[in-house]
Structure formats: structure tokens, C-alpha cells
Amino acid sequence: QVQLVESGGGLVQPGGSLRLSCSASGSIFSFNAGRWYRQAPGKQRELVAAITSGGSTNYADSVKGRFSISRDNAKNTVYLQMNSLKPEDTAVYNCNAEYYTGYYRQLNRYWGQGTQVTVSS
């Protein structure tokens, strides 16, 4: 069984920074790819950033130049560094990550529990 635990959300003023972490525990062989999504009240869930097994990254246009996704394979962790935060970045952020798990090293996708990010003065 694999669990993803997110941390790092909170309240920050416009222009501030936060770093979200998403760490996995359990029967993990290796980390494959990771993504961060967000959903604001009344809006659809949005893919914010993604990182592949090779380290290539992609970002939503709304966060390019401000957010950075990274990974630590040894810790089975994916990060989202958020700089120059704006009120419109306020949302619940969820990580979604793929791991090879178990005896047969199957590729499975898991979701974190979500963490609230609020940008307000």
C-alpha cells in the first residue's frame, strides 16, 4: 500500500512564496512521474505542472515563470515551488504521482489528500 502525503500549504500575502511537498511511503520500487493540480471554488481542476521520469517539465501558462516543479527520487518526493503568488492562485492543490510498486513493480498512480493555498492580504 502506498500513501501520498502533502505539506506546505497555507496563507501567504500576494507576492509571497510557498513550497509544496508530496512524499510517498509504502512498498515503492521507484518514482516515475509527478503532477500538481489545483481547483479553486467554482472552477474546474487545472493541471498546474508536471515532471516526467526524465526530469522534463511542463507548466500551465498561468504559472510559467513563477512556479517550479522538481523531484527527489531518493525521497520519492515531488515539490512545487511557488513564487510571486497572486490571489488567483488560491486553490486546493493536489499532487498526483506514479510509482512502480509492489513485488511485480506495477506502475500505479496515486493522489495526495490536498492542501489549501490561500493568497490574500
Side-chain angles (χ1 to χ4, degrees), residues 2 4 24-34 52-53 71-77 97-110:
V2 174
L4 290 188
S25 61
S27 181
I28 297 168
F29 176 72
S30 65
F31 178 22
N32 189 50
T52 69
S53 57
R71 57 191 289 156
D72 185 330
N73 292 338
K75 296 182 179 180
N76 294 317
T77 297
E98 299 172 0
Y99 297 89
Y100 289 96
T101 64
Y103 179 81
Y104 296 103
R105 301 177 183 175
Q106 294 177 317
L107 184 62
N108 293 294
R109 181 178 289 189
Y110 301 91

Side-chain angles (χ1 to χ4, degrees), residues 26-52:
S27 181
I28 297 168
F29 176 72
S30 65
F31 178 22
N32 189 50
R35 304 166 191 86
W36 285 96
Y37 291 84
R38 68 184 181 186
Q39 187 166 21
K43 294 188 176 181
Q44 288 190 327
R45 187 171 62 190
E46 173 189 22
L47 176 61
V48 175
I51 187 165
T52 69

Side-chain angles (χ1 to χ4, degrees), residues 48-121:
V48 175
I51 187 165
T52 69
S53 57
S56 297
T57 57
N58 281 292
Y59 299 92
D61 288 342
S62 58
V63 306
K64 280 181 181 177
R66 301 188 297 121
F67 290 12
S68 177
I69 189 171
S70 61
R71 57 191 289 156
D72 185 330
N73 292 338
K75 296 182 179 180
N76 294 317
T77 297
V78 59
Y79 302 97
L80 184 67
Q81 178 67 44
M82 304 184 294
N83 299 326
S84 302
L85 283 161
K86 304 175 181 180
E88 51 263 43
D89 294 318
T90 296
V92 174
Y93 285 71
N94 282 95
C95 68
N96 174 262
E98 299 172 0
Y99 297 89
Y100 289 96
T101 64
Y103 179 81
Y104 296 103
R105 301 177 183 175
Q106 294 177 317
L107 184 62
N108 293 294
R109 181 178 289 189
Y110 301 91
W111 287 92
Q113 82 279 11
T115 186
Q116 177 70 44
V117 171
T118 302
V119 185
S120 176
S121 55

